[in-house]
Amino acid sequence: HNLYADTLRSFESLAAAAREAEAAASPAELAFLAGWAERGAPQVVVSYVSGATPTLAHELCHARYALLPPYRGAVDAAWARHEQLLCKWMADLGYHASRHADEFGAYLLPEP
């Protein structure tokens, strides 16, 4: 899975609001956020099951998309050429339209 810094910052805000409302994020959630912050709040966090190399390749494509503007531009251009054909498929997979280009690249590029 991939998590972007904006998502994690939103989660931090929600966790702080929960504390103020006398609710709380779980210890594991708070530990994850603390570890993220200790590592400099990286722009992308990817996770995968150890040994699941195809999943790692997919998730690393998400990191490239987030971090490398030339890569993102190339993926966006490719998506624009195929969007009409694949938009329904992406939606059927459950992806929000804002994630379609990123997922398109992550599905397409790690394949042989």
Side-chain angles (χ1 to χ4, degrees), residues 57-59 61-62 71 75 89-90 93-95 99-112:
H58 177 96
E59 297 306 331
C61 285
H62 288 304
Y71 175 88
V75 170
W89 175 66
M90 283 288 184
L93 290 174
Y95 294 113
R99 307 301 319 144
H100 286 183
D102 185 7
E103 286 299 336
F104 169 74
Y107 278 110
L108 180 68
L109 296 170
E111 297 302 319

Side-chain angles (χ1 to χ4, degrees), residues 6-99:
D6 290 344
T7 302
L8 294 169
R9 283 188 203 96
S10 294
F11 185 67
E12 278 184 319
S13 296
L14 290 171
R19 277 193 300 277
E20 292 173 12
E22 297 186 20
S26 73
E29 291 167 330
L30 294 173
F32 178 85
L33 286 174
W36 174 68
E38 288 168 9
R39 290 168 178 81
Q43 290 300 305
V44 181
V45 175
V46 298
S47 64
Y48 70 103
V49 174
S50 180
T53 304
T55 300
L56 176 59
H58 177 96
E59 297 306 331
L60 289 175
C61 285
H62 288 304
R64 286 183 195 99
Y65 187 87
L67 299 172
L68 303 173
Y71 175 88
R72 184 172 49 255
V75 170
D76 287 348
W79 172 249
R81 289 191 302 273
H82 300 284
E83 183 174 5
Q84 292 292 340
L85 295 170
L86 298 174
C87 191
K88 182 182 179 328
W89 175 66
M90 283 288 184
D92 288 347
L93 290 174
Y95 294 113
H96 187 272
S98 66
R99 307 301 319 144

